[in-house]
Amino acid sequence: MGFFDKFKEYTQAISQIEKSIYGEKQDYLEIYERNQQLEKEIELRTRELNDANKRMLSLQHIWDMMNSSTPLENVLEQVVKSIQGELGYLHCAIIRKLEDENGEYMQIAIQSKDSAIARVNKIIGVPIEVRRLTYDPDSIYADTIKNKKIVQTHDLGGTLKYIMPDLPDEVAKAAVTNQPCKSLIIIPLCPMNSEFGWFCVFTSREELTEAEADFLSLYAQQIEMSITITDLFLAVKEQAVTDPLTGLFNRRHFEETLKKEVTRAKRQNQPFSVIGIDLDHLKQINDQYGHSFGDLAIKTVADVLKSNARSVDLPARMGGEEFNVLLPGIDSNGAMIAAERIRKAIEAKELDTIGHITASIGVATFFEHSDNVEELLELTDQAMYMSKRNGRNQVTLAKPISETSWQEIAVNTFIEILSKRKIPIPQEVTNDLKEKLQDTDLSKDTLYTVADILTTTYNPMHSKGVMKSKVLLATSLAKRFDLSKEESDNLRVAILLYDIGNLMLPQELLLKTTPLTEEERQHIKEHPMIAAQEILKPISYVQDVIPIIEHHHENWDGTGYPKKLSHDNIPLTSQIVLIIDAYFALIEHRPYRAKLTPQEALEIIKQDAGKKWNEALVQEFVKLTELDHV
């Protein structure tokens, strides 16, 4: 092979090597470029994932707040904070669509606090959040909410003029120029297909991507769900504390608020008053005109209470025809003025078919009449019933317990027991007794009659007039032992109430003609505690009477019940009740024996001196009783 042939061969080999190297270089360049492109794509996807993560975290935060008891305002505030701070929007706001007597309008519900809105507020003068904004049915806002679609607009000045048409053009132009915002995205809020308003975000981006629109739509759905949940929660809450007939607060809410008011009053050493209102003659209205007119009368009283209440007052329907009004910070003088204003307003109402209605009203003041809230309510009831007994359609100021007579305490205790259905007696008997107790000409004899009738419901052999004899005998014994007026008054009330626990026992047990079993005897022994704990304990103004009743079956020698007390550990008033109860039981018929003569009964009592009774008590009792039969 010649030189040139070899050179040519070498040249071709070198050319092949160059071609190979060039090809590999091209491959490397392509790989490098592809790597760079991949890195950019990874960076872009990372940013998208970060944004998506932020969006998901923001949505999760909103969801968590929705599932708590957080108020709607706080949820919406978190919405605007999250979407602005975490997702990079310049400003965002939630705008309400509202309506009043002047028509539809718009108002900022919540918005982010940032330099963008601070700048706009400075330019337009009056801050946008305190303005009544115009709702233009031809505006972009109206179009958005009617069609339920997200809209992006670059006409920032135009959207500003829609809601503030009176804003001078130069001011509107200044507000939207020389600032970074390029567009406004308006998302309608239509929870449960209602036109709640708009979710508005201001962005520096020119275009709205499909992904961003999807996210904002999802975000808006969360806001709508928050609104729906809050509305449902408020509706349920309102139903739980509101009387359905009148729209007033109910008894439960009144009592809960009253407890808080007591705490406030004690902390600030400031009084408050309670007005009790009882609609007069509701039963007659129902009987004569029908229950629909009775409801009309009740609703009329409620409307009067609403229209006469201050913003801090709390009018409530306590049940039936009874209402209460809580007056924070008001003493008895102010409460009496308010109560009289209510009374006149009720009386002035003329209803269809019924005509005029009236109400009996009572007033009591915390600190002035009592510093015990249960007692205060009972004093209010007492004053209210006193208005009813004195002729109705009037206002009565409560008396402190220390100034209340024993007869008033007894009457109000019976009314409380009958009204609250604390004892199982027929409704017609209850109504009859309440009517007697609320009579304007109520006398002591009426009180004794009521006590006799109640006793007859569980003891048919009880004689009319016995209660009066028992009270008079107890009063005489109290004088013989120099008991104080307070002890004597408590004793009189105890005489009327001590056996009321028998109403809770089976009548067949009380009227049994054969000997009682041990179990039945034990059941009978429970009646003093039933009277004291179940019937009387909730009534605060008879608390001093309860120990008398609890221990009126304790024997002097310690063989009695329920505590097996003995000697001076037994209240003297309880011993007096026991000896009087035993004596009158002996001279009455019983299913298992005939009645005894007074002298035979006294002989039995004498035999138990030092056992069942204090000997001194027996001596005085015998003297008094023998005098009555001389």
Side-chain angles (χ1 to χ4, degrees):
M1 181 181 293
F3 172 79
F4 286 103
D5 291 333
K6 286 183 179 285
F7 180 77
K8 185 177 180 181
E9 185 178 337
Y10 285 135
T11 301
Q12 289 176 343
I14 290 169
S15 179
Q16 288 291 333
I17 292 170
E18 286 179 345
K19 285 181 180 179
S20 176
I21 291 171
Y22 180 76
E24 290 179 1
K25 181 180 177 183
Q26 286 298 109
D27 288 342
Y28 282 125
L29 283 173
E30 288 178 9
I31 291 170
Y32 175 74
E33 288 174 355
R34 283 201 301 272
N35 282 343
Q36 279 196 319
Q37 186 177 356
L38 184 60
E39 285 178 2
K40 289 180 180 179
E41 192 168 334
I42 290 171
E43 185 179 356
L44 177 62
R45 294 290 178 263
T46 301
R47 284 201 302 269
E48 288 177 352
L49 284 171
N50 285 336
D51 287 344
N53 187 48
K54 286 180 180 178
R55 291 170 182 174
M56 290 304 296
L57 287 173
S58 183
L59 286 171
Q60 182 63 46
H61 195 177
I62 301 304
W63 180 253
D64 290 342
M65 293 183 74
M66 285 165 51
N67 283 282
S68 68
S69 58
T70 306
L72 178 62
E73 183 180 350
N74 293 5
V75 176
L76 298 182
E77 184 178 0
Q78 183 59 42
V79 167
V80 298
K81 279 183 180 178
S82 296
I83 202 164
Q84 184 205 21
E86 297 173 11
L87 304 175
Y89 291 106
L90 298 171
H91 179 70
C92 59
I94 293 175
I95 304 174
R96 290 292 312 271
K97 180 173 181 265
L98 301 168
E99 185 174 4
D100 60 15
E101 63 276 6
N102 297 317
E104 294 179 314
Y105 66 101
M106 300 163 65
Q107 191 169 52
I108 303 292
I110 198 81
Q111 66 178 352
S112 58
K113 295 177 175 61
D114 48 61
S115 58
I117 194 63
R119 175 183 174 276
V120 171
N121 281 339
K122 185 176 181 180
I123 292 171
I124 66 176
V126 180
I128 192 170
E129 60 266 23
V130 300
R131 289 174 179 256
R132 179 188 173 101
L133 306 176
T134 299
Y135 177 72
D136 185 342
D138 296 322
S139 69
I140 189 172
Y141 295 98
D143 180 62
T144 300
I145 204 164
K146 285 175 184 174
N147 296 311
K148 295 183 175 58
K149 65 178 183 179
I150 296 177
V151 173
Q152 181 183 34
T153 178
H154 299 87
D155 184 12
L156 302 178
T159 56
L160 190 61
K161 287 288 287 183
Y162 272 130
I163 60 177
M164 289 186 285
D166 296 334
L167 198 68
D169 291 342
E170 61 274 16
V171 175
K173 183 177 180 180
V176 299
T177 54
N178 298 322
Q179 45 78 36
C181 184
K182 302 302 181 186
S183 67
L184 165 64
I185 305 169
I186 305 173
I187 308 101
L189 298 174
C190 302
M192 304 291 287
N193 290 320
S194 66
E195 295 184 349
F196 179 86
W198 304 266
F199 176 38
C200 301
V201 294
F202 295 80
T203 177
S204 58
R205 295 185 288 277
E206 292 279 359
E207 300 301 326
L208 175 65
T209 66
E210 184 178 350
E212 186 176 10
D214 289 343
F215 166 72
L216 289 173
S217 177
L218 182 60
Y219 212 87
Q221 289 175 24
Q222 300 303 305
I223 298 172
E224 290 173 347
M225 195 176 296
S226 298
I227 295 165
T228 301
I229 290 173
T230 302
D231 286 346
L232 290 172
F233 175 76
L234 290 175
V236 171
K237 183 178 179 182
E238 185 174 335
Q239 289 172 5
V241 301
T242 306
D243 171 60
L245 177 63
T246 63
L248 293 177
F249 289 113
N250 59 21
R251 174 187 288 272
R252 184 174 69 177
H253 183 70
F254 179 86
E255 291 175 347
E256 289 174 354
T257 305
L258 186 60
K259 290 177 184 176
K260 296 176 184 176
E261 183 58 24
V262 169
T263 302
R264 186 203 63 80
K266 288 181 176 179
R267 184 177 65 250
Q268 299 181 5
N269 195 30
Q270 188 180 52
F272 67 83
S273 295
V274 175
I275 298 176
I277 301 104
D278 188 278
L279 173 62
D280 293 329
H281 304 301
L282 177 63
K283 186 176 185 300
Q284 292 180 22
I285 294 172
N286 285 332
D287 291 346
Q288 187 171 351
Y289 304 109
H291 285 274
S292 60
F293 284 98
D295 289 347
L296 173 62
I298 289 171
K299 286 189 279 190
T300 300
V301 174
D303 291 341
V304 168
L305 297 184
K306 292 174 189 174
S307 62
N308 281 274
R310 303 172 300 163
S311 60
V312 295
D313 295 341
L314 182 75
R317 185 184 181 199
M318 305 304 285
E321 66 269 41
E322 292 188 17
F323 304 82
N324 277 355
V325 182
L326 175 62
L327 304 175
I330 299 298
D331 61 15
S332 60
N333 291 330
M336 287 295 286
I337 293 170
E340 181 61 21
R341 184 168 61 245
I342 290 170
R343 187 199 65 77
K344 288 181 178 178
I346 293 172
E347 186 181 27
K349 294 286 184 180
E350 186 169 5
L351 307 185
D352 179 39
T353 305
I354 303 173
H356 292 279
I357 58 174
T358 61
S360 299
I361 301 176
V363 173
T365 299
F366 194 69
F367 288 140
E368 184 175 331
H369 294 107
S370 175
D371 59 1
N372 178 284
V373 68
E374 288 82 12
E375 197 171 86
L376 184 77
L377 292 176
E378 288 156 1
L379 289 171
T380 305
D381 285 346
Q382 286 183 33
M384 183 173 67
Y385 287 128
M386 187 62 70
S387 291
K388 198 171 285 289
R389 289 198 295 272
N390 289 340
R392 297 182 170 84
N393 190 26
Q394 57 187 273
V395 179
T396 301
L397 182 64
K399 294 180 183 178
I401 288 294
S402 59
E403 298 176 15
T404 305
S405 71
W406 72 269
Q407 294 100 321
E408 288 177 300
I409 292 174
V411 167
N412 289 310
T413 301
F414 277 130
I415 291 175
E416 175 85 3
I417 292 169
L418 294 165
S419 298
K420 303 297 172 61
R421 304 289 295 151
K422 294 179 182 294
I423 50 178
I425 60 174
Q427 186 62 50
E428 59 270 19
V429 176
T430 296
N431 294 338
D432 178 58
L433 295 180
K434 284 177 65 178
E435 189 173 338
K436 283 180 167 57
L437 291 166
Q438 293 169 358
D439 192 282
T440 55
D441 297 322
L442 180 71
S443 64
K444 286 182 185 178
D445 285 342
T446 304
L447 178 58
Y448 298 142
T449 299
V450 169
D452 280 327
I453 292 172
L454 276 175
T455 304
T456 305
T457 60
Y458 62 83
N459 178 14
M461 300 176 186
H462 179 80
S463 302
K464 182 180 178 181
V466 168
M467 277 300 177
K468 181 176 181 179
S469 299
K470 287 183 177 181
V471 170
L472 293 176
L473 186 52
T475 304
S476 297
L477 281 170
K479 290 178 181 177
R480 294 290 182 102
F481 286 93
D482 295 324
L483 296 185
S484 67
K485 181 183 181 301
E486 182 180 359
E487 289 175 309
S488 297
D489 286 348
N490 289 336
L491 176 60
R492 292 183 180 102
V493 176
I495 287 290
L496 296 172
L497 297 170
Y498 73 90
D499 252 356
I500 202 165
N502 282 334
L503 286 166
M504 310 296 284
L505 298 176
Q507 193 172 40
E508 61 271 16
L509 184 60
L510 295 169
L511 301 179
K512 190 175 181 182
T513 57
T514 56
L516 298 176
T517 65
E518 184 57 37
E519 183 180 353
E520 290 170 337
R521 191 175 292 107
Q522 199 60 39
H523 205 30
I524 291 286
K525 288 181 178 180
E526 292 174 359
H527 88 274
M529 299 303 291
I530 293 173
Q533 299 299 321
E534 295 185 22
I535 300 176
L536 300 176
K537 190 174 182 180
I539 307 173
S540 65
Y541 49 82
V542 290
Q543 297 304 296
D544 292 338
V545 176
I546 289 177
I548 302 174
I549 295 173
E550 280 183 325
H551 302 305
H552 83 272
H553 276 292
E554 301 286 3
N555 292 338
W556 187 253
D557 62 4
T559 59
Y561 60 87
K563 301 291 186 181
K564 294 190 179 299
L565 301 181
S566 64
H567 299 95
D568 292 332
N569 290 322
I570 307 170
L572 177 58
T573 45
S574 297
Q575 278 270 292
I576 291 174
V577 173
L578 177 61
I579 199 168
I580 289 174
D581 175 57
Y583 174 74
F584 281 93
L586 289 169
I587 62 174
E588 284 181 346
H589 282 290
R590 285 292 182 265
Y592 47 87
R593 61 158 173 80
K595 69 176 183 177
L596 305 181
T597 65
Q599 197 56 46
E600 289 171 335
L602 288 177
E603 287 301 319
I604 292 175
I605 286 175
K606 289 176 187 177
Q607 292 171 15
D608 283 328
K611 297 176 185 176
K612 294 193 71 170
W613 301 286
N614 178 347
E615 291 187 8
L617 176 61
V618 172
Q619 291 173 8
E620 295 301 329
F621 180 81
V622 170
K623 289 177 187 177
L624 284 172
T625 310
E626 287 179 340
L627 285 173
D628 288 339
H629 296 285
V630 170

